Amino acid sequence: KQEVTQIPAALSVPEGENLVLNCSFTDSAIYNLQWFRQDPGKGLTSLLLIQSSQREQTSGRLNASLDKSSGRSTLYIAASQPGDSATYLCAVHLDSWGKLQFGAGTQVVVTP
Amino acid sequence: DVKVTQSSRYLVKRTGEKVFLECVQDMDHENMFWYRQDPGLGLRLIYFSYDVKMKEKGDIPEGYSVSREKKERFSLILESASTNQTSMYLCASSTPPSDVWNSNNEQFFGPGTRLTVL
């Protein structure tokens, strides 16, 4: 069974520092991988989807990499801001229908 | 932008009541999903649907049913609500990959419904 792990569970950084969030999965036979942001009590906001044939995806200050052979994805957020404070979740797409296996998330606090 | 809406942000029901949670998406997506999110257990898939009137069980379907009469609407039904169904419920939608060269099936979520069963 696919297991998705996000370490650390929580992270606190000063404003301006770059954020590095890690996601690992046990079975390299994934379809796609998606990163989400969740604010307290709210739904999930899609940040990036990396298709299975891609190595990385970029959107503004966000860059996500994918290494299927080693079972890892990393989300980089450049020049962090207090507004980046949230929980970040990675999810592995198990098939083309979109069934997802989520990690537990990394709670990020960016201090002014 | 894709918009997924859920009928209520907060809902309080009593044990034994029949509860309907509604989800509507405006992007003509074929696939729709219902999850629940609980502290320490993360997000778990309850049911999903890949077409009108089609449904598939997820990881935790017990105590739930679903209905998809129209493409844009996917309803989650708690036949007889119980206290262990107190949770945050999240709906999502996506479109299946267009072909082997484009596997984009990005999933979009609604704002969630916080259900409390007393």
Side-chain angles (χ1 to χ4, degrees), chain A residues 4 6 33-48 62 86-93 98-106, chain B residues 1-6 9 23 29 33-39 41-45 87-94 106-114:
Chain A
V4 182
Q6 292 185 249
L33 188 141
Q34 194 167 352
W35 282 94
F36 296 90
R37 168 190 172 131
Q38 186 174 32
D39 294 294
K42 302 287 178 64
L44 277 66
T45 300
S46 178
L47 297 175
L48 290 167
L62 276 58
T87 297
Y88 292 82
L89 296 140
C90 76
V92 165
H93 286 239
K99 288 184 70 177
L100 300 181
Q101 184 69 44
F102 282 88
T106 295
Chain B
D1 279 352
V2 174
K3 193 158 186 188
V4 180
T5 57
Q6 295 183 229
R9 289 285 286 121
C23 175
H29 283 170
F33 308 82
W34 274 107
Y35 298 86
R36 63 178 284 177
Q37 184 177 29
D38 301 286
L41 296 175
L43 278 111
R44 294 177 290 168
L45 180 65
S87 186
M88 169 72 107
Y89 289 88
L90 293 160
C91 174
S93 72
S94 70
E106 188 175 3
Q107 202 159 124
F108 297 92
F109 280 74
T113 295
R114 172 74 65 184

Side-chain angles (χ1 to χ4, degrees), chain A residues 24-35:
Chain A
S24 62
F25 44 94
T26 53
D27 187 345
S28 62
I30 66 170
Y31 195 76
N32 292 331
L33 188 141
Q34 194 167 352
W35 282 94

